[in-house]
Amino acid sequence: MPIASGSTRRIAYVPEATFGVTPATPSFKTFRTTGGGPRTNKTTDTSEEIRADRNVTDEMHLGQDVAGAYNTEWSYGGFTDDMLEAVLFGSWAANVLKNGTAPKSFTFEERVDLGGGNQSFSRFAGTMINGLSLAIAARSKVTGSVSVMAQKETLDTAIVTGATYAAASTTPISTASANIAALQVAGLPAPKVRSLSLEITNNLRTRPLVGSLYTDSFGYGRFEATGTLEAYFETNDLYQRVLDHGSGVLSFNIGNAANQKYALLLPKIIFGNGERRPGGNTDDVMVSIPFRAVYDQTTDATLQITRGVA
């Protein structure tokens, strides 16, 4: 039998109307990724029975959980719109998305080609988006990850009857060099930023049941958006905000073409335990500042994203 190659993997997803139930004749969308993905984690336990022959009596199967993260390169539209909507528990309205309280679930499907017309499918029903990360670093692609948790994994050798697969979007990959604009930090003169990271999490949790190997559903905690800003040290202004436990707006645009950009707005970030890093003889002085976004009454959100920006 041929050995499967990772380069043949196709990842697709479809929204679920009912948690954990793959729609009949599903219309899948292809997911753009550079690797990673969920895996099933089995929980087992070993019998502690004492036997005169010194053998182990059994290894019991207690449960299964599914979790992991897909690595991505940032691009406009397609799966990005869907994943942003899912991780924010919100819905696009007039091209504006805010974090909310409406969870969404999907069935994710991974296919690998076994050659000779044979295929292997892993389907992850009851998939929810637990988190999303964004990494912007000088002279680099804009990268990130989409963290998922699923109810269960099932295997198959054929597509779901009647399933269709929409091709992935072809919008270009964004870079930190050419496709980040309008960066504002707490109303200060534009700092010279070397890197910026953003981490979003929904703090999902499993709900195990007696009589089942799988979680009943997923509970969710608070929506949290945190990150780290690294900038060249030019004046006291930015570091003074750290010492003052200051706050302010963080916003920037990301995208490659007019009307194919996102504007990310964190209307109120609070500066955390930042530090000035003097370095050595061959280093620049840097300031590294972790931050946390909190609820802003005017925006009525912690994070707001606008798409289709000129």
Side-chain angles (χ1 to χ4, degrees):
M1 295 291 291
I3 297 173
S5 295
S7 60
T8 69
R9 185 168 61 149
R10 179 188 66 198
I11 299 163
Y13 64 97
V14 62
E16 296 174 344
T18 302
F19 175 82
V21 179
T22 304
T25 62
S27 299
F28 283 98
K29 296 180 181 180
T30 303
F31 187 91
R32 296 173 68 173
T33 181
T34 60
R39 60 153 293 185
T40 296
N41 297 289
K42 282 175 53 179
T43 303
T44 63
D45 199 3
T46 307
S47 171
E48 297 294 339
E49 280 189 340
I50 300 171
R51 295 172 53 112
D53 60 9
R54 300 176 51 248
N55 288 302
V56 175
T57 300
D58 198 6
E59 182 78 10
M60 292 83 72
H61 188 188
L62 303 183
Q64 293 187 13
D65 292 312
V66 180
Y70 288 110
N71 302 319
T72 62
E73 296 172 337
W74 188 273
S75 60
Y76 183 84
F79 83 103
T80 304
D81 282 355
D82 294 337
M83 295 302 105
L84 289 173
E85 193 175 62
V87 77
L88 265 66
F89 280 32
S91 297
W92 292 101
N95 284 333
V96 174
L97 175 65
K98 300 180 181 183
N99 62 287
T101 58
K104 295 175 173 60
S105 69
F106 304 86
T107 293
F108 270 70
E109 178 187 85
E110 297 189 2
R111 183 218 66 182
V112 293
D113 190 353
L114 301 176
N118 299 311
Q119 298 178 332
S120 172
F121 294 84
S122 286
R123 294 194 185 97
F124 302 95
T127 298
M128 290 184 61
I129 310 305
N130 188 33
L132 184 145
S133 70
L134 183 64
I136 302 169
R139 296 187 176 182
S140 298
K141 297 174 291 187
V142 179
T143 60
S145 65
V146 177
S147 300
V148 301
M149 294 174 67
Q151 185 181 47
K152 68 174 70 172
E153 177 183 9
T154 57
L155 301 180
D156 206 339
T157 57
I159 66 171
V160 177
T161 301
T164 58
Y165 296 84
S169 63
T170 58
T171 49
I173 306 301
S174 295
T175 70
S177 305
N179 308 124
I180 303 296
L183 176 62
Q184 297 184 35
V185 182
L188 298 172
K192 294 178 180 177
V193 173
R194 188 161 71 180
S195 66
L196 173 65
S197 66
L198 180 64
E199 297 280 346
I200 300 169
T201 182
N202 288 308
N203 292 296
L204 297 184
R205 62 184 181 273
T206 59
R207 290 169 168 165
L209 295 173
V210 171
S212 176
L213 291 172
Y214 312 106
T215 184
D216 173 76
S217 55
F218 292 110
Y220 45 90
R222 297 187 300 182
F223 174 84
E224 295 186 84
T226 58
T228 300
L229 173 73
E230 182 187 40
Y232 293 96
F233 189 81
E234 299 177 279
T235 70
N236 286 341
D237 294 344
L238 194 55
Y239 187 50
Q240 186 65 54
R241 292 295 182 96
V242 173
L243 300 180
D244 294 341
H245 195 57
S247 63
V249 173
L250 172 63
S251 62
F252 59 92
N253 294 351
I254 178 171
N256 297 53
N259 303 316
Q260 291 189 353
K261 300 177 184 178
Y262 297 99
L264 276 71
L265 170 66
L266 294 90
K268 185 177 182 181
I269 63 167
I270 297 178
F271 294 104
N273 186 26
E275 62 175 324
R276 183 172 54 187
R277 295 176 175 170
N281 289 327
T282 59
D283 297 314
D284 294 309
V285 179
M286 307 296 296
V287 58
S288 178
I289 306 174
F291 61 84
R292 175 179 292 276
V294 298
Y295 175 75
D296 175 70
Q297 187 172 7
T298 301
T299 310
D300 191 27
T302 298
L303 172 61
Q304 175 179 291
I305 303 174
T306 304
R307 65 183 177 184
V309 175

